Amino acid sequence: MKKLEFPNDFLFGGATAANQIEGAYDIDGKTLSLLEMIPFQELEDRKNPSTSKKITKELIMEAIENKNGRHYPKRFGNDFYHRYKEDIKLFKEAGLKIFRMSISWTRIYPNGNDAEPNAKGLEFYRNVFEECKKNGLEIMVTMNHFDIPLWVLQKQLSWDDAELRDAFLKYAKTLLDEFNVYVKYWLPFNEINLFAFMMQTMNGGTEQGDKLKAILNSYNDLHKLVVTQARVIEYAKKYPNIMIGNMVADSTTYPINCDPENVYENLKMEQMKKFFYHDLMVKGEYPGYALRMFKEYGVKINRDPEEDEILKNNPVQFISFSYYMSGTHSKKESELTEGNFIKVGVNPYLKATEWGWQIDPIGLRITLNQYWDRYQIPLFVSENGIGVFETLNENKTVEDDYRIKYLADHFEQMSEAIKDGVKMIGYTMWTPIDLVSAGTNEMSKRYGLIFVDYDDYHKGTGNRFKKKSFEWFKNFMKTKEL
Ligand code: BGP
């Protein structure tokens, strides 16, 4: 037995996203969003570049017409829209203290330019929040978790267009005005670093083009996104009870060996892939290493002095990040493995999941220490978990000892980081309940403490079953013992 140390008010909980759980894609006034236009693909098709689908105008038309018999998993999620009461009750039973969820923009402003928010959309989220309060759950809301509305694609807007930024601000202000009494923790954009890049590569109007060009262009989108986020923070000052944080997909890498050239290459990698985003949103200005890189690669950012001012004056109040894995980096090409959206170098000291994500609990302690040393503002791990192929056994449960180990090892390292002096306010595992995968659109990649009886084609009863990790987590919440 080992007793872990966490502050009494530490917020242990679970995270989800609207597009991966809600379903009910055409109910109560909701319109479609980007992720609901992506059809399910079997593994072989996903891996095959000639059959793997990019978001093109044709694909969007095909998805709107919906006559091809294809299955669009994010239109169905795990049916949280109809089952939220049952799910929230289970979250309470598991001992969760906080529930991270996102709001679907297209439920609130179905057409973007609607004069009034959609009353049915507001009502749904108010009901969910009421239910959370009834069950003693604190709430964290992501305003946009990758689900860009279809009208944005149809108009071919990017974050460089004021029309999109203004529409988002109107939406964000509505959420803050309506829900500030329920929700204390807010994240304007999920994984803002990946989101900026995603918009460039998945733009509905263009075929996926030159990858490097897309990456370079994405820095302009990122600038517009962080400024928009800063404007949300500025507006939220009228609600002193709430806190607004950023959300960045962590990208921890180690040098492949101690050759100083590799160590330096990895430093550059970590600067641009990891610290850059937090430097920008915590310190409110561009770090020198980024300005140098922009110059060398000819990155053009459409910066306005008023925007720089907004950014400087409205830093995030806490840092949040998703942490699933780590990788390695070297000056030469090295063997690669899959990662959370990007491939990373293989680390021979680590084991990987079936999807190739390298499991590294100590990397979490390292990352927490690095962020605390550099920024000295509270930290929140907003996603962390393990995806596995699972089926129910004859006892209608899943013996997921690997998940228990994954979570226990990460909890232990967080507790060590807290003893190192790191100030953490919370942790939300990905995820308390099985849902549709963000990257591969499948139900088969299961992360939950709760099993959901749907397959990749949304066939099944949708019933919920507690896995072994559910009972383990419940007990851990009472004892804090491993
Ligand atoms: C993060 C996303 C989540 C989530 C998770 C796991 O990048 O914020 O939405 O799903 O990764 O990824 P996947 O579902 O692809 O396994």
Side-chain angles (χ1 to χ4, degrees):
M1 284 292 172
K2 182 173 178 191
K3 178 114 182 148
L4 302 189
E5 287 179 29
F6 288 96
N8 286 338
D9 56 357
F10 188 84
L11 293 167
F12 259 111
T16 59
N19 69 83
Q20 294 171 264
I21 59 170
E22 284 179 6
Y25 69 102
D26 57 354
I27 287 182
D28 294 336
K30 184 187 176 308
T31 54
L32 287 167
S33 77
L34 161 70
L35 303 168
E36 291 154 343
M37 318 303 286
I38 305 178
F40 176 69
Q41 289 186 286
E42 293 291 349
L43 189 60
E44 276 163 35
D45 292 338
R46 260 182 261 150
K47 293 218 156 139
N48 179 351
S50 66
T51 49
S52 87
K53 292 262 182 184
K54 306 284 183 284
I55 300 296
T56 59
K57 269 186 191 155
E58 292 68 37
L59 193 73
I60 288 178
M61 279 318 293
E62 196 183 306
I64 294 173
E65 288 170 4
N66 197 10
K67 287 187 197 140
N68 53 14
R70 281 181 164 275
H71 173 56
Y72 295 91
K74 291 193 177 104
R75 296 184 183 187
F76 304 94
N78 67 15
D79 205 22
F80 178 81
Y81 196 81
H82 298 112
R83 292 182 178 250
Y84 68 89
K85 288 194 180 167
E86 178 188 351
D87 290 348
I88 291 170
K89 215 164 134 213
L90 282 167
F91 299 161
K92 181 193 177 184
E93 189 190 331
L96 264 56
K97 300 269 173 283
I98 187 166
F99 176 43
R100 175 180 170 225
M101 54 180 274
S102 77
I103 291 186
S104 162
W105 187 351
T106 52
R107 278 194 205 288
I108 307 298
Y109 285 108
N111 307 298
N113 57 2
D114 316 69
E116 295 296 328
N118 173 21
K120 286 272 184 203
L122 293 177
E123 187 190 325
F124 169 67
Y125 292 107
R126 193 168 299 113
N127 290 342
V128 172
F129 297 151
E130 286 286 352
E131 205 59 28
C132 288
K133 288 286 157 199
K134 242 182 11 209
N135 286 280
L137 286 174
E138 191 74 64
I139 304 155
M140 172 180 263
V141 160
T142 318
M143 293 177 171
N144 189 263
H145 194 117
F146 297 156
D147 46 355
I148 284 294
L150 177 58
W151 60 262
V152 177
L153 302 184
Q154 286 171 324
K155 290 186 166 185
Q156 296 195 29
L157 299 177
S158 80
W159 292 98
D160 202 35
D161 296 299
E163 184 180 348
L164 176 55
R165 297 197 299 270
D166 291 348
F168 181 81
L169 272 176
K170 182 171 86 166
Y171 162 65
K173 287 176 184 177
T174 301
L175 298 187
L176 291 168
D177 294 342
E178 292 285 335
F179 301 134
N180 70 83
V181 288
Y182 296 103
V183 181
K184 176 162 180 193
Y185 300 96
W186 293 85
L187 309 173
F189 299 105
N190 184 59
E191 298 188 332
I192 196 166
N193 47 339
L194 303 182
F195 188 50
F197 176 63
M198 211 179 96
M199 283 288 281
Q200 278 293 332
T201 52
M202 293 179 93
N203 189 332
T206 52
E207 287 286 346
Q208 222 179 24
D210 176 346
K211 202 164 175 192
L212 179 65
K213 207 166 136 212
I215 294 174
L216 299 179
N217 285 343
S218 71
Y219 287 108
N220 187 56
D221 279 8
L222 180 87
H223 175 75
K224 299 297 175 183
L225 276 169
V226 293
V227 171
T228 305
Q229 175 170 277
R231 290 191 203 278
V232 174
I233 296 172
E234 184 174 56
Y235 182 79
K237 285 181 180 155
K238 66 195 254 205
Y239 301 118
N241 53 320
I242 68 170
M243 285 177 85
I244 300 200
N246 61 355
M247 163 47 163
V248 176
D250 184 72
S251 187
T252 291
T253 52
Y254 305 124
I256 195 80
N257 59 29
C258 52
D259 173 351
E261 285 195 47
N262 280 327
V263 176
Y264 176 67
E265 280 304 316
N266 188 60
L267 169 74
K268 273 210 301 197
M269 181 76 170
E270 283 220 306
Q271 280 178 328
M272 282 315 295
K273 289 251 179 269
K274 180 168 170 172
F275 297 113
F276 166 64
Y277 304 100
H278 298 296
D279 284 351
L280 197 55
M281 291 179 269
V282 176
K283 299 177 181 171
E285 54 190 34
Y286 281 88
Y289 59 81
L291 294 175
R292 175 179 180 171
M293 191 283 275
F294 292 163
K295 214 164 152 191
E296 284 173 6
Y297 282 87
V299 171
K300 298 256 175 310
I301 296 185
N302 179 7
R303 262 167 87 184
D304 170 313
E306 190 243 340
E307 291 178 337
D308 286 349
E309 188 82 353
I310 296 273
L311 202 54
K312 184 81 203 158
N313 294 334
N314 296 285
V316 290
Q317 291 153 314
F318 65 96
I319 285 179
S320 98
F321 62 97
S322 55
Y323 179 89
Y324 290 90
M325 53 166 301
S326 70
T328 58
H329 191 61
S330 104
K331 63 181 174 175
K332 291 206 199 94
E333 286 218 341
S334 55
E335 196 192 338
L336 296 177
T337 181
E338 292 299 326
N340 189 0
F341 291 86
I342 40 168
K343 288 195 165 125
V344 294
V346 167
N347 184 335
Y349 297 96
L350 299 178
K351 292 207 173 90
T353 71
E354 288 163 287
W355 278 262
W357 297 23
Q358 299 179 128
I359 303 170
D360 180 15
I362 295 176
L364 178 57
R365 178 179 180 182
I366 295 171
T367 302
L368 286 165
N369 270 280
Q370 287 173 324
Y371 286 161
W372 176 250
D373 289 349
R374 194 163 174 137
Y375 304 113
Q376 303 271 306
I377 65 169
L379 305 180
F380 198 112
V381 175
S382 45
E383 283 181 32
N384 168 250
I386 181 168
V388 180
F389 285 112
E390 292 170 327
T391 47
L392 280 183
N393 64 19
E394 65 283 4
N395 300 321
K396 298 279 177 216
T397 186
V398 179
E399 302 279 333
D400 55 345
D401 295 285
Y402 39 83
R403 179 165 295 107
I404 294 172
K405 176 161 173 45
Y406 182 99
L407 294 175
D409 290 350
H410 284 82
F411 293 178
E412 187 177 2
Q413 294 303 322
M414 281 196 301
S415 157
E416 292 301 324
I418 291 169
K419 283 195 239 163
D420 295 335
V422 172
K423 184 166 165 31
M424 276 192 82
I425 44 180
Y427 165 99
T428 45
M429 80 179 74
W430 191 266
T431 163
I433 186 160
D434 290 350
L435 39 68
V436 176
S437 151
T440 48
N441 238 353
E442 61 194 321
M443 268 306 282
S444 303
K445 191 179 186 186
R446 295 177 182 271
Y447 283 86
L449 302 181
I450 301 163
F451 183 93
V452 174
D453 179 29
Y454 280 129
D455 68 10
D456 291 336
Y457 292 92
H458 201 67
K459 296 261 165 23
T461 60
N463 290 343
R464 281 50 176 152
F465 299 90
K466 297 170 200 167
K467 299 181 193 174
K468 187 173 176 186
S469 57
F470 182 99
E471 301 299 343
W472 171 82
F473 183 78
K474 183 173 162 184
N475 189 48
F476 173 78
M477 287 306 290
K478 288 189 193 133
T479 63
K480 300 287 170 348
E481 277 172 3
L482 295 182

